[in-house]
Every structure is written in C-alpha cells, then in structure tokens.
C-alpha cells in the first residue's frame, strides 16, 4: 500500500533520510529508539521500545516493481511498542518477509493499532476513540484519522516490520523494526513465519488471480451504461471490478461525481469529490472477452487529500477497482437487481453494504 511513498522517499531524499536516521541512538533511560523526521532532524516522530542496540544494526533492501529501496534496521526484543511522539501523525506498520538482506513487504497484512487513542472523522464529526477499536471504524470514515500522542502498535511476534510515519505530507520516514524472541534473530536468517492476518482494511486478497471479462451492463440512475469490467472471485463470492476513470465518466454530472488526477511527482491517484470529470480519451470503451490474469495493485490513492484504501488489480495496462469500494468511498448505492439481471447504481441513495 505504501509502495509509492517508498518510491518517492528513495528518489527524493534517500541519502539525506538515511544519514539522519543512522544518527539516532537508543535512550539509556528507557532503552528506546527515538526516530527523527528526515525533514526536521530536531523533531522525534516515533519511538521504538525494547531497543537492543544504540543505533541501527544495518540496512534491509526492499524490492518492489524491480526497484530496490534501502531502509535502516532497528533491532528490538519481543513485546516492543511503536508509538508516535506527535499528535498529528500517521503511522502504519506492515510485516516483512526477509531472506538474507532482501525483504518483501506484505502490504495486505497491515497491522492494527493497539495502544492509546486516535481521532477519526465520521459523518457526525471528529471523535476520539481507543486505537484498538480503529478496525471497527474503517467503514464509517468520511475523512482522515490521526494518532494521538503515545498511540501506536505492540509488536509481539518475532519477525521484521516496515514502520512508516507521515505527518500529513507525502514523504514519510520509514524504518525496519526487527523483533527477536529468545536468542534473537541471527544475521542472514529467514523470517517468514508471521501469522497470516486479515489486514487492517479488509480481508487479505491474492496477489495474482484469474479475472473474467463480463462487459457489465449497469443502470445508473435509470440509464443503461456498458462497462469494460471484470469479475474476480474472492472466496465464495464474485465481485465486479471497473476502471476508475470509466466510473468517473459515467457518474459525471450526478451528485456523486468525482475528478481523477495523476500526481507525477508522487505517482499517486488523486480523487476530488463533487468535481466534474475531465475526459482523457478511451473511457467506456468496449473490452475484450475472455479470462486474464489480474495482479494486485498497491497504488497509493487520495480522496480529497486523505489516503484511501481500495482493492485494485492491474489487468493489462489498466487498474480496475472493486465497485463496492468506490460506492462506499463516495457513498452511493450499488446493488444487484435479479429481475433486470444487472447492477443498479443510484446516486441519490447512500451506500448500504448489502
């Protein structure tokens, strides 16, 4: 999920970031690493408890999209915590499978926070909630969320974790926290025995699946529209995936219209709710029938300036998004009509999740 952010970090300020991070030492009083912002080295942004060293123990190379990203490793003992030092912070933690000096981030298995409190933006306003309840509020978010001072994660399982912090900007400070149990983690060991999780933003989905083209007919506010869509089976259910721009073109002019923009600097998708869509060419073109291989996409997406987590697959040269995710994100109704044998979208009704 943070692959695009890592790419931006590495391209723009990898050398500076590593130089600053490697200067960080463990506190003698509480044996904690204080990790400082790569843009302001006087400001600590999060702490890692149960430190095992006085400084980073090395580096780990993360390979994504045939590119390598070098991130410093901090060793800690089991039961360590990762907690923010500032109240306006975004903090995300992902398990990492390690073989030798190479690591592979398990993006779908994002950890849930357990410590302290968070502020979440809901339809009824901003609320302070226990961080351990955050999972229950994901589907209700209408805006962003922040960690309050001292909130964060507890790492009890042996393994390696990518910890990425952002204070609202596009450039996070990222480190690898390597958690050891009795006897520690030996250099060059294979760490891949972390228990599978359901992921913070929904069930874990396969990295590569089969997708069946269905040229899905859809009724949008009573008007019939044909999309280049694909059906992807997830467990016992099949879900329909659409091109983001196709949906934007079809919804333009309705109360749920949105604009789609591409930020070349950060390589992120920007969605602006309430804005009419600007056609780029090729929208709502007919698809090719048959089955294709769909690879899970980890594109970083923002809605009205806030990060959004959407299930997406790359099919051919295009990203396809789960219709229900888009419906929930923009709060419109999307249901199956057995009589009409098609999907029905009603932008005047709210998303129900049925």
């Amino acid at each position: 999920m943070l692959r695009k952010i890592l790419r931006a970090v590495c391209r723009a300020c990898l050398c500076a970031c590593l130089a600053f991070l490697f200067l960080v030492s463990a506190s003698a009083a509480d044996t904690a690493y204080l990790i400082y912002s790569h843009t302001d080295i006087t400001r600590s942004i999060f702490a890692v408890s149960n430190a095992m060293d006085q400084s980073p123990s090395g580096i780990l190379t993360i390979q994504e999209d045939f590119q390598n990203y070098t991130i410093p490793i901090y060793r800690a003992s089991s039961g360590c915590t990762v907690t923010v030092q500032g109240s306006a912070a975004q903090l995300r933690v992902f398990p990492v499978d390690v073989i030798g000096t190479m690591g592979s981030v398990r993006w779908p298995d994002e950890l849930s926070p357990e410590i302290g409190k968070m502020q979440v933006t809901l339809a009824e306003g901003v609320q302070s909630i226990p961080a351990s309840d955050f999972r229950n509020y994901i589907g209700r978010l209408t805006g962003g969320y922040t960690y309050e001072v001292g909130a964060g994660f507890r790492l009890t399982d042996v393994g390696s974790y990518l910890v990425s912090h952002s204070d609202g900007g596009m450039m996070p400070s990222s480190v690898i926290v390597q958690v050891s149990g009795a006897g520690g983690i030996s250099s060059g060991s294979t760490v891949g025995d972390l228990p599978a999780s359901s992921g913070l933003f929904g069930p874990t989905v396969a990295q590569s699946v089969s997708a069946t083209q269905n040229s899905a007919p859809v009724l949008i506010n009573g008007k019939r529209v044909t999309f280049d869509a694909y059906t992807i089976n997830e467990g016992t259910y099949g879900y329909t995936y659409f091109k983001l721009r196709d949906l934007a073109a079809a919804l333009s002019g309705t109360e749920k219209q949105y604009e789609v923009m591409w930020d070349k600097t950060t390589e992120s998708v920007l969605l602006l709710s309430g804005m009419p869509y600007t056609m780029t060419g090729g929208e709502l073109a007919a698809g090719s029938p048959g089955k294709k291989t769909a690879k899970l996409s980890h594109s970083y997406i923002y809605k009205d300036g806030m990060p959004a987590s959407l299930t997406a697959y790359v099919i051919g040269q295009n990203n396809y998004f789960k219709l229900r995710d888009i419906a929930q994100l923009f709060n419109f109704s999307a249901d199956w009509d057995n009589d009409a044998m098609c999907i029905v979208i009603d932008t005047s009704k709210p998303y129900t999740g049925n």
Side-chain angles (χ1 to χ4, degrees), residues 4-316:
K4 301 300 182 184
I5 294 183
L6 283 175
R7 180 179 299 163
V9 170
C10 293
R11 286 179 177 173
C13 59
L14 175 61
C15 293
C17 179
L18 289 177
F20 295 153
L21 289 172
F22 270 72
L23 292 174
V24 177
S25 62
S27 167
D30 56 7
T31 62
Y33 299 110
L34 289 180
I35 309 300
Y36 288 79
S37 170
H38 71 268
T39 58
D40 180 4
I41 61 173
T42 66
R43 180 171 63 90
S44 61
I45 52 178
F46 65 90
V48 181
S49 70
N50 295 3
M52 296 181 64
D53 304 294
Q54 294 296 310
S55 62
S57 62
I59 57 175
L60 183 70
T61 300
I62 301 293
Q63 186 176 66
E64 292 290 336
D65 284 346
F66 306 104
Q67 297 188 54
N68 293 334
Y69 310 108
T70 306
I71 305 176
I73 298 172
Y74 290 84
R75 298 196 312 147
S77 58
S78 180
C80 72
T81 61
V82 178
T83 52
V84 296
Q85 301 293 290
S87 60
Q90 298 283 352
L91 191 68
R92 303 180 75 172
V93 179
F94 303 83
V96 178
D97 293 329
V98 178
I99 299 179
T101 60
M102 299 295 295
S104 175
V105 181
R106 289 162 45 187
W107 302 105
D109 293 344
E110 182 174 358
L111 273 63
S112 297
E114 300 179 65
I115 304 169
K117 292 187 175 182
M118 301 175 64
Q119 290 189 2
V120 294
T121 304
L122 310 175
E124 54 268 36
V126 177
Q127 295 186 11
S128 179
I129 64 168
S132 57
D133 289 343
F134 180 54
R135 181 185 294 273
N136 299 326
Y137 286 83
I138 292 297
R140 297 175 54 193
L141 291 177
T142 59
Y145 58 89
T146 60
Y147 292 80
E148 296 183 6
V149 176
F153 299 76
R154 183 174 291 107
L155 306 181
T156 57
D157 294 315
V158 172
S160 296
Y161 301 84
L162 170 68
V163 179
S164 183
H165 171 285
S166 173
D167 55 6
M170 296 293 292
M171 303 287 286
S173 294
S174 299
V175 303
I176 296 294
V177 176
Q178 195 174 63
V179 179
S180 66
I185 301 177
S186 61
S187 176
S189 64
T190 299
V191 182
D193 57 353
L194 292 174
S197 73
S198 60
L200 181 58
F201 292 98
T204 300
V205 292
Q207 297 291 317
S208 181
V209 297
S210 176
T212 304
Q213 209 277 345
N214 60 21
S215 297
V218 180
L219 286 179
I220 300 180
N221 298 336
K223 179 182 178 180
R224 189 179 182 89
V225 181
T226 300
F227 288 85
D228 171 24
Y230 284 85
T231 298
I232 294 177
N233 292 324
E234 298 174 13
T236 58
Y237 298 96
Y239 293 93
T240 307
Y241 283 73
F242 293 83
K243 293 178 185 176
L244 197 60
R245 289 187 177 275
D246 280 359
L247 280 169
L251 294 175
S252 191
T254 73
E255 56 268 73
K256 298 300 180 181
Q257 66 182 1
Y258 63 89
E259 175 68 295
V260 181
M261 301 179 67
W262 175 250
D263 189 323
K264 291 183 179 180
T265 302
T266 60
E267 299 187 6
S268 301
V269 178
L270 308 179
L271 306 178
L272 303 176
S273 60
M275 300 290 291
Y277 175 68
T278 303
M279 301 289 284
T280 61
E283 288 86 351
L284 299 172
S288 301
K291 291 187 176 182
K292 294 183 179 179
T293 298
K295 295 183 178 180
L296 188 65
S297 171
H298 300 294
S299 297
Y300 208 66
I301 303 168
Y302 286 84
K303 174 181 179 279
D304 300 329
M306 301 305 299
S309 290
L310 304 173
T311 302
Y313 284 94
V314 178
I315 303 174

